[in-house]
């Protein structure tokens, strides 16, 4: 994918998620997401903040988080989540069309982030939200080779991941198969998708993941 195509995915996903979030009830906003410790509200807050955060704010937050990336992400989302729901929806909708990236973020990171967090919201609520196949494939390839912050090459060592709906595979070992959207969620540490895995290595990977999480 070229940059224009990735920006279009970001625009479409942000606008679509703003529509989805705007349709949810208060109870659904308070529902646990696939992100450990976050409800739908914290995920929405995180998504709405990234396109708006500037370097000065980022530096203040990284000091507050004592240099910890995960603490920074968690803390900023929780503080942002106190805003009213309609403000969070409006901020996310306004981000559609923005060409601003958070400090240190690259365009493939931003695309992967919105694809995965969209599923973090939709799946626990039983909402079917199809993921664009090519964007998911590019995101899977990106996070596999980048490593940080999920390090899938280490967590999934000993298995070969193969997509069943696009041409993509990674790793070495017993074959584990699933649609690319499921594999992207697995690569980013969403173990709720484990029941959707098939192939010769699926049972072993599920058993290993259950033992360590």
């Amino acid at each position: 994918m070229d940059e224009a195509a990735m920006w279009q995915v970001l625009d479409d996903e942000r606008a679509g998620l703003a529509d989805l979030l705007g349709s949810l009830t208060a109870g659904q906003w308070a529902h646990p997401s696939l992100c450990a410790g976050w409800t739908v509200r914290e995920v929405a807050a995180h998504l709405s903040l990234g396109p708006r955060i500037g370097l000065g704010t980022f530096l203040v937050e990284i000091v507050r988080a004592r240099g910890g990336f995960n603490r920074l992400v968690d803390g900023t989302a929780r503080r942002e989540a106190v805003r009213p729901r309609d403000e969070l929806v409006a901020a996310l909708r306004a981000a559609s069309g923005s060409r601003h990236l958070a400090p240190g973020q690259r365009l493939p990171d931003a695309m992967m982030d919105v694809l995965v967090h969209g599923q973090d919201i939709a799946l626990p609520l039983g909402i079917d939200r199809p993921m664009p196949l090519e964007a998911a494939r590019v995101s899977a390839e990106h996070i596999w080779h980048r490593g940080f912050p999920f390090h899938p090459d280490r967590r999934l060592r000993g298995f070969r991941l193969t997509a069943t709906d696009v041409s993509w595979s990674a790793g070495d070992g017993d074959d584990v198969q699933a649609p690319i959207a499921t594999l992207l969620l697995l690569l980013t540490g969403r173990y709720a998708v484990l029941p959707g895995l098939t192939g010769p290595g699926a049972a072993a990977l599920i058993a290993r993941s259950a033992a360590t999480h």
Side-chain angles (χ1 to χ4, degrees):
M1 297 180 76
D2 60 19
E3 287 195 3
M6 284 191 276
W7 278 119
Q8 188 61 57
V9 169
L10 266 175
D11 290 344
D12 292 345
E13 290 295 310
R14 286 168 172 169
L17 281 169
D19 288 343
L20 173 60
L21 288 164
S23 72
L24 299 181
T25 66
Q28 288 173 312
W29 273 74
H31 196 283
S33 75
L34 291 187
C35 288
W38 281 6
T39 66
V40 167
R41 178 181 283 274
E42 279 80 39
V43 179
H46 170 73
L47 286 170
S48 71
L49 178 62
R52 295 183 289 109
I53 192 168
L55 180 59
T57 301
F58 177 82
L59 292 175
V60 169
E61 292 294 347
I62 198 69
V63 170
R64 177 181 281 177
R66 304 186 303 282
F69 176 77
N70 289 334
R71 285 194 296 271
L72 181 148
V73 172
D74 184 66
T76 54
R78 292 182 185 281
R79 284 187 289 277
E80 188 72 4
V82 302
R83 297 176 66 189
R85 285 182 289 156
D86 59 348
E87 288 187 14
L88 295 175
V89 171
L92 182 56
R93 194 182 305 282
S96 181
S98 169
R99 295 298 177 260
H100 174 77
L101 295 172
Q105 190 179 51
R106 293 181 289 174
L107 182 53
D109 299 322
M111 184 174 74
M112 178 273 297
D113 197 57
V114 73
L115 291 176
V116 171
H117 285 314
Q119 301 303 311
D120 288 337
I121 292 169
L123 286 179
L125 295 176
I127 296 171
D128 182 30
R129 182 173 173 78
M131 193 182 291
L133 293 181
E134 179 61 8
R137 186 195 67 79
V138 170
S139 295
E141 185 74 4
H142 171 68
I143 200 63
W144 179 266
H145 288 291
R146 182 180 183 191
F148 177 85
F150 304 107
H151 303 290
D153 57 329
R154 295 205 304 250
R155 288 188 297 102
L156 303 171
R157 183 174 291 126
F159 298 96
R160 179 169 182 79
L161 309 180
T162 302
T164 56
D165 51 356
V166 296
S167 178
W168 185 82
S169 61
D172 295 295
D174 294 333
D175 199 39
V176 174
Q177 302 167 8
I180 190 64
T182 299
L183 293 181
L184 178 57
L185 293 175
L186 177 65
L187 292 172
T188 54
R190 275 66 178 175
Y191 293 102
V193 302
L194 287 172
L197 305 179
T198 61
L205 177 54
I206 292 170
R208 189 173 81 181
S209 299
T212 56
H213 295 89

